[in-house]
Amino acid sequence: MMIYNPKDWWKLIFYFHKADTFRKLLPAMLGVMAYTAVFSYLENDVFHFMPIKNPLAVHSLVGFVLSLLLVFRTNSSYDRWWEGRKIWGSFTNNSRNLALKLNAFLPENHESKEVFRVLIGNYLQAVKDHLRDNTNPKHLAFVNKFDESFYENHKHMPNRIGQAIYLEINQLAKNGLLNPEQLLILNTELTSFTDNLGACERIKNTPIPSSYNIFIKKMIFLYVFTMPIGFVLEFKYWAIPIVTLVFYAFAGIEMIAEEIEDPFGTDNNDLALDTIVKNVKGNLAEILRN
Amino acid sequence: MMIYNPKDWWKLIFYFHKADTFRKLLPAMLGVMAYTAVFSYLENDVFHFMPIKNPLAVHSLVGFVLSLLLVFRTNSSYDRWWEGRKIWGSFTNNSRNLALKLNAFLPENHESKEVFRVLIGNYLQAVKDHLRDNTNPKHLAFVNKFDESFYENHKHMPNRIGQAIYLEINQLAKNGLLNPEQLLILNTELTSFTDNLGACERIKNTPIPSSYNIFIKKMIFLYVFTMPIGFVLEFKYWAIPIVTLVFYAFAGIEMIAEEIEDPFGTDNNDLALDTIVKNVKGNLAEILRN
Amino acid sequence: MMIYNPKDWWKLIFYFHKADTFRKLLPAMLGVMAYTAVFSYLENDVFHFMPIKNPLAVHSLVGFVLSLLLVFRTNSSYDRWWEGRKIWGSFTNNSRNLALKLNAFLPENHESKEVFRVLIGNYLQAVKDHLRDNTNPKHLAFVNKFDESFYENHKHMPNRIGQAIYLEINQLAKNGLLNPEQLLILNTELTSFTDNLGACERIKNTPIPSSYNIFIKKMIFLYVFTMPIGFVLEFKYWAIPIVTLVFYAFAGIEMIAEEIEDPFGTDNNDLALDTIVKNVKGNLAEILRN
Amino acid sequence: MMIYNPKDWWKLIFYFHKADTFRKLLPAMLGVMAYTAVFSYLENDVFHFMPIKNPLAVHSLVGFVLSLLLVFRTNSSYDRWWEGRKIWGSFTNNSRNLALKLNAFLPENHESKEVFRVLIGNYLQAVKDHLRDNTNPKHLAFVNKFDESFYENHKHMPNRIGQAIYLEINQLAKNGLLNPEQLLILNTELTSFTDNLGACERIKNTPIPSSYNIFIKKMIFLYVFTMPIGFVLEFKYWAIPIVTLVFYAFAGIEMIAEEIEDPFGTDNNDLALDTIVKNVKGNLAEILRN
Amino acid sequence: MMIYNPKDWWKLIFYFHKADTFRKLLPAMLGVMAYTAVFSYLENDVFHFMPIKNPLAVHSLVGFVLSLLLVFRTNSSYDRWWEGRKIWGSFTNNSRNLALKLNAFLPENHESKEVFRVLIGNYLQAVKDHLRDNTNPKHLAFVNKFDESFYENHKHMPNRIGQAIYLEINQLAKNGLLNPEQLLILNTELTSFTDNLGACERIKNTPIPSSYNIFIKKMIFLYVFTMPIGFVLEFKYWAIPIVTLVFYAFAGIEMIAEEIEDPFGTDNNDLALDTIVKNVKGNLAEILRN
C-alpha cells in the first residue's frame, strides 16, 4: 500500500508514479487517440457521410446507465477491499486479545507464553503467504515440539497452525492450567482465526460474477469506439482529446476497481499486510514478554 | 462458476462463450433490429407521419428512472449472490473449526473423529444437492450406524444429518468424552449449520417481489418498442443499430440480474459449490486424520 | 406470494393479473389521459397561450431529483421486505435448531418432545395471526396442560406461548433432564423467538416517516399535472400517451413500494408466511417424531 | 409519530397539516416567489441585460450533483431514524425476554417479580425522558427499597436504574435463587439495556458533520438565488412558479432530513416512544403478573 | 466537533468560520476565477479560435460520472466517520456496563472498584491520545500498583492498560471474589476494548485507496481547467462566476470528504472525543462511587 497525504492536491494531480492509473492507461489512450484521429480525418476531409442531426443524444443516454454500472462496480470492489481490511483488523484484535488473556491466565514465566507468541505470529504469517500463493515453512518460527517437522507434508499451513494452537490450549486445560470458564473465554478468539482465514479466501477466490465484468468491458468498448461517429461531427478535430478524456474517465474507474478487487496482493493499492503482520508480532512480544 | 482473469480486457470484450449475455440476447436483438428496420422504412420512405420537434426528450427522461431501477435490481441481485457466497464461506469456516475443535478434544485415534469427518462432509454434500433439487442418498458416505438405512424414508437430508451430528455429540457428552465447557464451545458451529442451510433456502425460494420483476420488464418493453418512434425521425436508418444497442444495454443488465439472483445452480455465474464442497472434504481429511 | 418464473419475459410483460401494478393504476391512468387530452385540445386548438421556448427543461431537472427519491423509496421498502423475509428465515432456523437440540438432549420417547413440537408450531402460527390481526386460539394445537384454558384471557398469544416454552424448559432443568450447559445451549434459540417477534412488529407498525410519503406523493402529483403544460407544446396530441406513460413509471414505483412496505399481509407480493409455517411444522414433526 | 394510511393518495396529496413540509416552507416559498417576480420584472421589462444563449445548462449540471447530495443526506437521516426505531425495538424485545426468563426462573409469586416489573418499566421511561431532556423522578414508579430516595441526587436516571437492576439480580444470585447458568442467560438482556441507551445518546448527540450541513444549505441557496438569472430569460413570468417549485423540491428534502435526523423528540415524524413504552409496560404486567 | 443547530438556515448559509469549506477553498477559487478571466479575454476579445457547436455537451456527460464518483467518496468517508462514532459509543457502553457489573459483583467499598474506575478511564484517555499521536503517561491517573513506573518503557499505552485490567480481573478471580460465571459475564466488555481500539487504528491508518484519491483529484482538475474552453463560448464573461461556482461544488465535496475521512483529530468536523472521554469518566465516578 502506498503511504500518501490525501490532502496534498498538487502532488496527487501531477503524480505519475508507475502504478498510476494514468500511466497504466497511457498506451490504450494513445490507441484511442490514433483511432479517433483517423476517423476525424476520414469524416471531415474525405467522406462527409453522416448527416445526423443530434449526434450526442445516444451517448448521453447510454452514458448514464454505463456510469451507474461503473459506480456499482466501484462500490462492490471497494466493499471487498474494506472488508479485507476489516478482516485483518480482526486478526490484529484477536491476536492481541488472545495474548492479553493468556498472559493473565497463565502463571508468570510459563513456557507456553512463548509458544503462543510464536504460534499466533506464525498464523498471521502463514495466512499472508497463503493469500499470496507464497507458502513457505521457512517463513515460520519454530518453538518446542512445533518445529520444522511439524509442518512437513502439510499443504494448508494456516490450518496446521490452527491445529497446533487448539492442541496446546487443550493440553493446558487437561493439565489444569486453564479452568473451564477460561477455556470458554478463549474460544471466541480461537474461532475467529479460522473465520477470518475463510473470509480472506472467499474474497480472494470469488471475483465479481464474470457476466458483469464482461458486460461492463463490452459496454465501455462499444461506447468509446462508437463515440467518434457522433463527436467528430460536432467537434471536428477537437474530438480527438475529448474521446480520449472520456475513455480515460470510464476505463480508469473500471481499472481501479480491478486493482482493489483482490486486496491481498502486493500492488500499490493493496493492503499493507507486511506492516500489519510485523506490528502484531511486535504487540505479541510486548504483551507476552516474561 | 467460470474461472477467468478479470484484467484481460481483449479476451473478455471479444468473448462470446455460449453463456455470454450477448449470445443469449442475440435472437431478441435480431428481433428488435428487424422491428426497427420495418419502422424506419415505413416512416422514412412511406408515411412521414410524425412531425415531432424534440423526439428524444421523453426517452431521456424515462431512461433515467429506468436506469436507476436497473441499478437497484443489479444491487439486490448481487447482494443475494454475495450473501450466498458468504454462507458457503461460513459452511467452510464452521466445518474447519468444528474439525479443529473435535480433533483437540477427542482422544487421539478415537473412532468418532472418522464419524464426524464423514458426517460434516455429508452435510455439505446434502445441502448442495438439496439446493439443486438433486437429493440422492447415494451421494453420501456411510459410517458406522449412520449407514444407508439411517437416511431411508427421510426427505430432508440436511436435517437428518444434523440430527445425526447432534446425537453423536450428545452421546460423547454422556460418555464423558466431552465435558460441559467443550459442549458449549462446540455449540456455535453446530447451530450455524442449520442457520446457513436456512439462509440458502431463503435465497433460493424467495426471488425479488414479482411486482418489481414485472414492472421492470414492462418498462424495458415499452421503452424499447417506442424508441423507434422518436429515433427514426432523428437518425433515419442509423436508428437500427442504435435501438439495438440500447436494448442490449438495458435487457443485458436485467438478464444478468436474473442469472445471479439464484446463485446455487450450475450456470456459468453460479457459485462454485462443487469446488467448495470438495475443498472442505479435503480440509476435513487433513485435520481429522489419525 | 405469487410463484413465478423470473426468466419468462413474454409472460411477465403481458401479464395483467388483477394484482398487477398496471391494472391497479389503470383508472388513474385513464384520468391522466383524459386530463391531458382536454389540456391538449384547449392549448392546441383554442388558446395557444404559452410561447415557452424550452418547455421540457424544468421537468428534466425535477424529474431527476424525483427519480432519485423514488429509488430511495424503493430501496427502503425492499429492505423492509427482505428483512421481513430474513426474520422468518430465522424463525425457521431457530425452530429447527431447537428441535434438533431437544431431540438430542431429551431421553427417547420423552413426552416433552411432543409438547415442544406443538408449542413451537403454535408460536409461529400465533405470530403469523398476530401480524395479520387475526389472532384466534382456535388456530393453535393443544397439548397436556397447555390446553385451551391456558390461552384464555390473554391477548398477546405469542408472548403467552413464549411463557409456556420457558416454563417447560425450566421445569425440565429442575427435574434434572437438562443440565446447566444444555440450558445455556438452548438459550440462543429461545431468546431469538422474542427478538424475531419484536422485529416483525417493528416493521409492521412503523411505516416510512409520513413526511417522505406525503412529499413524494405531492411531488408526483405536481410533476404529472404540470407535465401537459410543457409537453402539449412540444408533442401536441402525442402528449396524451406520453404523459400517461410517465405517470405509469413514477406512480408505479411508488405503488409497488407501498405494497411491499408491510410484507406480512396476504397481498400478491407479501411473504409466503402460510407456506413457511407449514414447512416448519413439517420439519418439527420429522425431527421430533419418536 | 403520525398514524396514517400510506395508500390513501388523495388525502396525502391534499394534506396540509400544520407539521407538513409544504406549510413549513410556505413563508420561504413566498419569499422566493417575490424575489423571482422582482427579478422577472427588472429583466423582462426594464433592463434586458443578459444575452446568454443556453441559460439552463449550468443549473442542469449543478442540479445533478446537488440532487445526489440531497439523496445522500436523505439516506443518512433515514438510517439514523430507522436505527433509532431498531434500538427501541430491541428495548421492547429485551424487556420481554428478561420478563419471560425471570418469570420462569423465579418461584411463583416471588416478590422480586414485581420489583423487576417496576424497574424495567422505569428504565424505558427514564431513557425516554433522558432523550427528551425531561428527566423527572416523578415519572418513575417506586417499589420496595427502590423508592424516591434511591433516585435522589442522581442526574443520569437510566444508569441509576441499571445499577438497581444489576444489584437486585446479584442479590438473587447470592441468595441462591438464580444459579450460575441462569445468571449467564440473563446477561445478554442486561447488557443490551446499556448498549441501547448508549446508541440512543449517540444518535441524539451527533448530528451529521457540520460541513455537510453548511455545504448543502449554501448550495441550495446559491442554486435557487441564481436560478432566476437563467430561467427568467427562458420562461419570462412563468419563472415565478417554476423557481418556487424547484425550491420546494430541494429545500423540502433537506427539511425532512433535518426533521428525522433526531428521531426521539415529539415532532410529527418522530418515533412513537410514548406508545412503545406504554406497550412494553403492558407486556411486562401480563408476563410477570402473579 | 462544532456544536450547531442544524435547523438555523440563515446562520449556516452566511457562516464563514475559519474552518468553513468556503473559506478554505477561497484561494483556489480566486485562482480559478483569474484563470477563467484570462481565458475569457483571450477567447472573446483576441482570438475567437473555437467554432464548436455544442460546447457544453462533454462537460455534461463527464460531469455525470464525476458526480457519482464524488457521492461514492462522500458515502465512504461518512461511513468511516459514523463507524468511528459508533466505536466510541461502544467504548462508552462497555465502560458503563463493566462498571455496573463490577459494582454489583464486588463487595461494597472494595478497593478494586477504585482501581477499575481509574483503569477504565485511563484506557479511554490513552486511546484518544494514541489516535492523536499524543501519547503521554502524564495524562493518566495512577492507582495502587499501577503507578507511573507501570507505564514506563511501554510505547503502546492502551495495550499496557488492557494488560493491567486483565491482570486485576484475574487476581480477583483467583482470590475468589469473582466466580466463574461472573468472569464469563465480564468477558464481552473486556474483549470489546481491544476490538474497539483495533477498529480505531484501522480507520486512522487506512485512507481510501490512493488510486481513487488520485483519480478523483485528476478528474476534478481536468474538468475545471477545461471548462472555460466551452463555457466562455456560451456565456462570455459570465463564465467567470460560473466556472468558479462549479469548482466550488466539486472541490468542496472532495474537501469535506477528506476532512471527515479521519474522524479522530481535532478538526471542526472531527468527533468530540474530549467530551466523550470526560462524560465516561463522570459516569464511572457516579456508578463506582463507594
PDB file of all heavy atoms in Angstrom, chain C residues 226-248:
ATOM      1  N   THR C 226     -48.438  19.116 -14.033  1.00  0.00           N
ATOM      2  CA  THR C 226     -47.882  20.242 -14.789  1.00  0.00           C
ATOM      3  C   THR C 226     -47.245  19.786 -16.098  1.00  0.00           C
ATOM      4  O   THR C 226     -46.900  20.612 -16.929  1.00  0.00           O
ATOM      5  CB  THR C 226     -46.810  20.979 -13.963  1.00  0.00           C
ATOM      6  OG1 THR C 226     -45.797  20.043 -13.592  1.00  0.00           O
ATOM      7  CG2 THR C 226     -47.402  21.585 -12.701  1.00  0.00           C
ATOM      8  N   MET C 227     -47.086  18.468 -16.248  1.00  0.00           N
ATOM      9  CA  MET C 227     -46.440  17.979 -17.470  1.00  0.00           C
ATOM     10  C   MET C 227     -47.132  18.461 -18.740  1.00  0.00           C
ATOM     11  O   MET C 227     -46.459  18.898 -19.686  1.00  0.00           O
ATOM     12  CB  MET C 227     -46.376  16.453 -17.472  1.00  0.00           C
ATOM     13  CG  MET C 227     -45.064  15.920 -16.940  1.00  0.00           C
ATOM     14  SD  MET C 227     -44.990  14.127 -17.099  1.00  0.00           S
ATOM     15  CE  MET C 227     -44.268  13.970 -18.734  1.00  0.00           C
ATOM     16  N   PRO C 228     -48.471  18.370 -18.830  1.00  0.00           N
ATOM     17  CA  PRO C 228     -49.098  18.756 -20.096  1.00  0.00           C
ATOM     18  C   PRO C 228     -48.736  20.185 -20.515  1.00  0.00           C
ATOM     19  O   PRO C 228     -48.634  20.472 -21.705  1.00  0.00           O
ATOM     20  CB  PRO C 228     -50.597  18.627 -19.797  1.00  0.00           C
ATOM     21  CG  PRO C 228     -50.678  17.628 -18.705  1.00  0.00           C
ATOM     22  CD  PRO C 228     -49.463  17.862 -17.877  1.00  0.00           C
ATOM     23  N   ILE C 229     -48.521  21.077 -19.527  1.00  0.00           N
ATOM     24  CA  ILE C 229     -48.189  22.460 -19.873  1.00  0.00           C
ATOM     25  C   ILE C 229     -47.055  22.509 -20.881  1.00  0.00           C
ATOM     26  O   ILE C 229     -47.134  23.167 -21.916  1.00  0.00           O
ATOM     27  CB  ILE C 229     -47.817  23.258 -18.601  1.00  0.00           C
ATOM     28  CG1 ILE C 229     -48.950  23.200 -17.588  1.00  0.00           C
ATOM     29  CG2 ILE C 229     -47.496  24.706 -18.963  1.00  0.00           C
ATOM     30  CD1 ILE C 229     -48.623  23.899 -16.261  1.00  0.00           C
ATOM     31  N   GLY C 230     -45.980  21.781 -20.566  1.00  0.00           N
ATOM     32  CA  GLY C 230     -44.859  21.804 -21.479  1.00  0.00           C
ATOM     33  C   GLY C 230     -44.989  20.830 -22.635  1.00  0.00           C
ATOM     34  O   GLY C 230     -44.663  21.129 -23.777  1.00  0.00           O
ATOM     35  N   PHE C 231     -45.490  19.647 -22.324  1.00  0.00           N
ATOM     36  CA  PHE C 231     -45.436  18.574 -23.320  1.00  0.00           C
ATOM     37  C   PHE C 231     -46.414  18.766 -24.465  1.00  0.00           C
ATOM     38  O   PHE C 231     -46.172  18.294 -25.579  1.00  0.00           O
ATOM     39  CB  PHE C 231     -45.646  17.219 -22.638  1.00  0.00           C
ATOM     40  CG  PHE C 231     -44.419  16.731 -21.947  1.00  0.00           C
ATOM     41  CD1 PHE C 231     -43.790  17.497 -20.967  1.00  0.00           C
ATOM     42  CD2 PHE C 231     -43.841  15.506 -22.289  1.00  0.00           C
ATOM     43  CE1 PHE C 231     -42.640  17.064 -20.339  1.00  0.00           C
ATOM     44  CE2 PHE C 231     -42.694  15.068 -21.662  1.00  0.00           C
ATOM     45  CZ  PHE C 231     -42.097  15.841 -20.689  1.00  0.00           C
ATOM     46  N   VAL C 232     -47.531  19.435 -24.175  1.00  0.00           N
ATOM     47  CA  VAL C 232     -48.507  19.670 -25.242  1.00  0.00           C
ATOM     48  C   VAL C 232     -47.911  20.587 -26.304  1.00  0.00           C
ATOM     49  O   VAL C 232     -48.136  20.414 -27.507  1.00  0.00           O
ATOM     50  CB  VAL C 232     -49.800  20.258 -24.634  1.00  0.00           C
ATOM     51  CG1 VAL C 232     -50.624  20.967 -25.690  1.00  0.00           C
ATOM     52  CG2 VAL C 232     -50.603  19.146 -23.969  1.00  0.00           C
ATOM     53  N   LEU C 233     -47.109  21.562 -25.837  1.00  0.00           N
ATOM     54  CA  LEU C 233     -46.443  22.452 -26.786  1.00  0.00           C
ATOM     55  C   LEU C 233     -45.505  21.696 -27.702  1.00  0.00           C
ATOM     56  O   LEU C 233     -45.390  21.991 -28.890  1.00  0.00           O
ATOM     57  CB  LEU C 233     -45.612  23.485 -26.026  1.00  0.00           C
ATOM     58  CG  LEU C 233     -46.364  24.670 -25.437  1.00  0.00           C
ATOM     59  CD1 LEU C 233     -45.402  25.543 -24.683  1.00  0.00           C
ATOM     60  CD2 LEU C 233     -47.043  25.443 -26.565  1.00  0.00           C
ATOM     61  N   GLU C 234     -44.819  20.753 -27.134  1.00  0.00           N
ATOM     62  CA  GLU C 234     -43.755  20.079 -27.868  1.00  0.00           C
ATOM     63  C   GLU C 234     -44.298  18.932 -28.715  1.00  0.00           C
ATOM     64  O   GLU C 234     -43.828  18.689 -29.819  1.00  0.00           O
ATOM     65  CB  GLU C 234     -42.736  19.528 -26.851  1.00  0.00           C
ATOM     66  CG  GLU C 234     -41.400  19.166 -27.414  1.00  0.00           C
ATOM     67  CD  GLU C 234     -40.447  20.368 -27.452  1.00  0.00           C
ATOM     68  OE1 GLU C 234     -40.787  21.398 -26.835  1.00  0.00           O
ATOM     69  OE2 GLU C 234     -39.409  20.280 -28.119  1.00  0.00           O
ATOM     70  N   PHE C 235     -45.253  18.206 -28.158  1.00  0.00           N
ATOM     71  CA  PHE C 235     -45.675  16.979 -28.833  1.00  0.00           C
ATOM     72  C   PHE C 235     -47.124  16.999 -29.303  1.00  0.00           C
ATOM     73  O   PHE C 235     -47.620  15.990 -29.783  1.00  0.00           O
ATOM     74  CB  PHE C 235     -45.485  15.783 -27.896  1.00  0.00           C
ATOM     75  CG  PHE C 235     -44.098  15.629 -27.402  1.00  0.00           C
ATOM     76  CD1 PHE C 235     -43.783  15.790 -26.058  1.00  0.00           C
ATOM     77  CD2 PHE C 235     -43.067  15.342 -28.288  1.00  0.00           C
ATOM     78  CE1 PHE C 235     -42.494  15.654 -25.610  1.00  0.00           C
ATOM     79  CE2 PHE C 235     -41.765  15.198 -27.840  1.00  0.00           C
ATOM     80  CZ  PHE C 235     -41.484  15.366 -26.495  1.00  0.00           C
ATOM     81  N   LYS C 236     -47.856  18.082 -29.120  1.00  0.00           N
ATOM     82  CA  LYS C 236     -49.267  18.186 -29.467  1.00  0.00           C
ATOM     83  C   LYS C 236     -50.037  16.981 -28.921  1.00  0.00           C
ATOM     84  O   LYS C 236     -49.854  16.642 -27.752  1.00  0.00           O
ATOM     85  CB  LYS C 236     -49.433  18.324 -30.989  1.00  0.00           C
ATOM     86  CG  LYS C 236     -48.608  19.490 -31.529  1.00  0.00           C
ATOM     87  CD  LYS C 236     -49.219  20.113 -32.745  1.00  0.00           C
ATOM     88  CE  LYS C 236     -48.373  21.306 -33.188  1.00  0.00           C
ATOM     89  NZ  LYS C 236     -48.530  22.458 -32.279  1.00  0.00           N
ATOM     90  N   TYR C 237     -50.897  16.326 -29.750  1.00  0.00           N
ATOM     91  CA  TYR C 237     -51.732  15.258 -29.204  1.00  0.00           C
ATOM     92  C   TYR C 237     -50.947  14.018 -28.778  1.00  0.00           C
ATOM     93  O   TYR C 237     -51.446  13.186 -28.032  1.00  0.00           O
ATOM     94  CB  TYR C 237     -52.864  14.895 -30.170  1.00  0.00           C
ATOM     95  CG  TYR C 237     -53.943  15.953 -30.140  1.00  0.00           C
ATOM     96  CD1 TYR C 237     -54.044  16.923 -31.128  1.00  0.00           C
ATOM     97  CD2 TYR C 237     -54.832  16.010 -29.068  1.00  0.00           C
ATOM     98  CE1 TYR C 237     -55.000  17.905 -31.067  1.00  0.00           C
ATOM     99  CE2 TYR C 237     -55.802  16.987 -29.006  1.00  0.00           C
ATOM    100  CZ  TYR C 237     -55.888  17.929 -30.004  1.00  0.00           C
ATOM    101  OH  TYR C 237     -56.846  18.900 -29.936  1.00  0.00           O
ATOM    102  N   TRP C 238     -49.685  13.895 -29.246  1.00  0.00           N
ATOM    103  CA  TRP C 238     -48.841  12.802 -28.755  1.00  0.00           C
ATOM    104  C   TRP C 238     -48.590  12.923 -27.251  1.00  0.00           C
ATOM    105  O   TRP C 238     -48.158  11.964 -26.619  1.00  0.00           O
ATOM    106  CB  TRP C 238     -47.491  12.796 -29.480  1.00  0.00           C
ATOM    107  CG  TRP C 238     -47.574  12.267 -30.878  1.00  0.00           C
ATOM    108  CD1 TRP C 238     -47.693  12.997 -32.023  1.00  0.00           C
ATOM    109  CD2 TRP C 238     -47.545  10.894 -31.281  1.00  0.00           C
ATOM    110  NE1 TRP C 238     -47.742  12.174 -33.127  1.00  0.00           N
ATOM    111  CE2 TRP C 238     -47.651  10.872 -32.683  1.00  0.00           C
ATOM    112  CE3 TRP C 238     -47.445   9.684 -30.596  1.00  0.00           C
ATOM    113  CZ2 TRP C 238     -47.657   9.692 -33.418  1.00  0.00           C
ATOM    114  CZ3 TRP C 238     -47.436   8.511 -31.320  1.00  0.00           C
ATOM    115  CH2 TRP C 238     -47.558   8.522 -32.717  1.00  0.00           C
ATOM    116  N   ALA C 239     -48.809  14.099 -26.701  1.00  0.00           N
ATOM    117  CA  ALA C 239     -48.597  14.274 -25.262  1.00  0.00           C
ATOM    118  C   ALA C 239     -49.495  13.352 -24.444  1.00  0.00           C
ATOM    119  O   ALA C 239     -49.151  12.978 -23.316  1.00  0.00           O
ATOM    120  CB  ALA C 239     -48.840  15.723 -24.855  1.00  0.00           C
ATOM    121  N   ILE C 240     -50.640  12.969 -25.004  1.00  0.00           N
ATOM    122  CA  ILE C 240     -51.579  12.142 -24.232  1.00  0.00           C
ATOM    123  C   ILE C 240     -50.954  10.810 -23.825  1.00  0.00           C
ATOM    124  O   ILE C 240     -50.865  10.498 -22.631  1.00  0.00           O
ATOM    125  CB  ILE C 240     -52.906  11.956 -24.991  1.00  0.00           C
ATOM    126  CG1 ILE C 240     -53.531  13.349 -25.267  1.00  0.00           C
ATOM    127  CG2 ILE C 240     -53.877  11.088 -24.202  1.00  0.00           C
ATOM    128  CD1 ILE C 240     -54.745  13.321 -26.166  1.00  0.00           C
ATOM    129  N   PRO C 241     -50.460   9.987 -24.778  1.00  0.00           N
ATOM    130  CA  PRO C 241     -49.807   8.745 -24.307  1.00  0.00           C
ATOM    131  C   PRO C 241     -48.523   9.006 -23.522  1.00  0.00           C
ATOM    132  O   PRO C 241     -48.213   8.271 -22.585  1.00  0.00           O
ATOM    133  CB  PRO C 241     -49.509   7.984 -25.601  1.00  0.00           C
ATOM    134  CG  PRO C 241     -49.508   9.014 -26.674  1.00  0.00           C
ATOM    135  CD  PRO C 241     -50.505  10.067 -26.251  1.00  0.00           C
ATOM    136  N   ILE C 242     -47.803  10.068 -23.887  1.00  0.00           N
ATOM    137  CA  ILE C 242     -46.518  10.302 -23.222  1.00  0.00           C
ATOM    138  C   ILE C 242     -46.717  10.617 -21.742  1.00  0.00           C
ATOM    139  O   ILE C 242     -46.082  10.008 -20.862  1.00  0.00           O
ATOM    140  CB  ILE C 242     -45.749  11.452 -23.918  1.00  0.00           C
ATOM    141  CG1 ILE C 242     -45.247  10.983 -25.280  1.00  0.00           C
ATOM    142  CG2 ILE C 242     -44.595  11.941 -23.062  1.00  0.00           C
ATOM    143  CD1 ILE C 242     -44.670  12.079 -26.156  1.00  0.00           C
ATOM    144  N   VAL C 243     -47.605  11.543 -21.441  1.00  0.00           N
ATOM    145  CA  VAL C 243     -47.828  11.887 -20.033  1.00  0.00           C
ATOM    146  C   VAL C 243     -48.338  10.669 -19.267  1.00  0.00           C
ATOM    147  O   VAL C 243     -47.937  10.413 -18.123  1.00  0.00           O
ATOM    148  CB  VAL C 243     -48.812  13.075 -19.911  1.00  0.00           C
ATOM    149  CG1 VAL C 243     -49.199  13.325 -18.462  1.00  0.00           C
ATOM    150  CG2 VAL C 243     -48.184  14.325 -20.496  1.00  0.00           C
ATOM    151  N   THR C 244     -49.215   9.887 -19.920  1.00  0.00           N
ATOM    152  CA  THR C 244     -49.725   8.687 -19.262  1.00  0.00           C
ATOM    153  C   THR C 244     -48.609   7.694 -18.962  1.00  0.00           C
ATOM    154  O   THR C 244     -48.550   7.104 -17.875  1.00  0.00           O
ATOM    155  CB  THR C 244     -50.799   8.023 -20.147  1.00  0.00           C
ATOM    156  OG1 THR C 244     -51.747   9.024 -20.522  1.00  0.00           O
ATOM    157  CG2 THR C 244     -51.505   6.912 -19.403  1.00  0.00           C
ATOM    158  N   LEU C 245     -47.686   7.528 -19.912  1.00  0.00           N
ATOM    159  CA  LEU C 245     -46.568   6.606 -19.701  1.00  0.00           C
ATOM    160  C   LEU C 245     -45.683   7.071 -18.547  1.00  0.00           C
ATOM    161  O   LEU C 245     -45.293   6.275 -17.682  1.00  0.00           O
ATOM    162  CB  LEU C 245     -45.737   6.502 -20.980  1.00  0.00           C
ATOM    163  CG  LEU C 245     -44.441   5.700 -20.850  1.00  0.00           C
ATOM    164  CD1 LEU C 245     -44.737   4.213 -20.754  1.00  0.00           C
ATOM    165  CD2 LEU C 245     -43.491   5.970 -22.010  1.00  0.00           C
ATOM    166  N   VAL C 246     -45.369   8.361 -18.525  1.00  0.00           N
ATOM    167  CA  VAL C 246     -44.507   8.874 -17.464  1.00  0.00           C
ATOM    168  C   VAL C 246     -45.209   8.726 -16.104  1.00  0.00           C
ATOM    169  O   VAL C 246     -44.585   8.353 -15.109  1.00  0.00           O
ATOM    170  CB  VAL C 246     -44.124  10.344 -17.736  1.00  0.00           C
ATOM    171  CG1 VAL C 246     -43.343  10.929 -16.556  1.00  0.00           C
ATOM    172  CG2 VAL C 246     -43.289  10.433 -18.994  1.00  0.00           C
ATOM    173  N   PHE C 247     -46.503   8.988 -16.085  1.00  0.00           N
ATOM    174  CA  PHE C 247     -47.258   8.778 -14.849  1.00  0.00           C
ATOM    175  C   PHE C 247     -47.175   7.326 -14.406  1.00  0.00           C
ATOM    176  O   PHE C 247     -46.978   7.026 -13.217  1.00  0.00           O
ATOM    177  CB  PHE C 247     -48.721   9.193 -15.057  1.00  0.00           C
ATOM    178  CG  PHE C 247     -49.619   8.818 -13.908  1.00  0.00           C
ATOM    179  CD1 PHE C 247     -49.576   9.519 -12.719  1.00  0.00           C
ATOM    180  CD2 PHE C 247     -50.496   7.746 -14.016  1.00  0.00           C
ATOM    181  CE1 PHE C 247     -50.396   9.172 -11.655  1.00  0.00           C
ATOM    182  CE2 PHE C 247     -51.304   7.381 -12.960  1.00  0.00           C
ATOM    183  CZ  PHE C 247     -51.259   8.104 -11.767  1.00  0.00           C
ATOM    184  N   TYR C 248     -47.334   6.407 -15.365  1.00  0.00           N
ATOM    185  CA  TYR C 248     -47.242   4.982 -15.039  1.00  0.00           C
ATOM    186  C   TYR C 248     -45.882   4.664 -14.414  1.00  0.00           C
ATOM    187  O   TYR C 248     -45.784   3.956 -13.399  1.00  0.00           O
ATOM    188  CB  TYR C 248     -47.472   4.147 -16.299  1.00  0.00           C
ATOM    189  CG  TYR C 248     -47.181   2.678 -16.136  1.00  0.00           C
ATOM    190  CD1 TYR C 248     -47.883   1.899 -15.218  1.00  0.00           C
ATOM    191  CD2 TYR C 248     -46.205   2.056 -16.907  1.00  0.00           C
ATOM    192  CE1 TYR C 248     -47.615   0.547 -15.073  1.00  0.00           C
ATOM    193  CE2 TYR C 248     -45.935   0.703 -16.774  1.00  0.00           C
ATOM    194  CZ  TYR C 248     -46.638  -0.046 -15.856  1.00  0.00           C
ATOM    195  OH  TYR C 248     -46.369  -1.370 -15.710  1.00  0.00           O
TER     196      TYR C 248
END
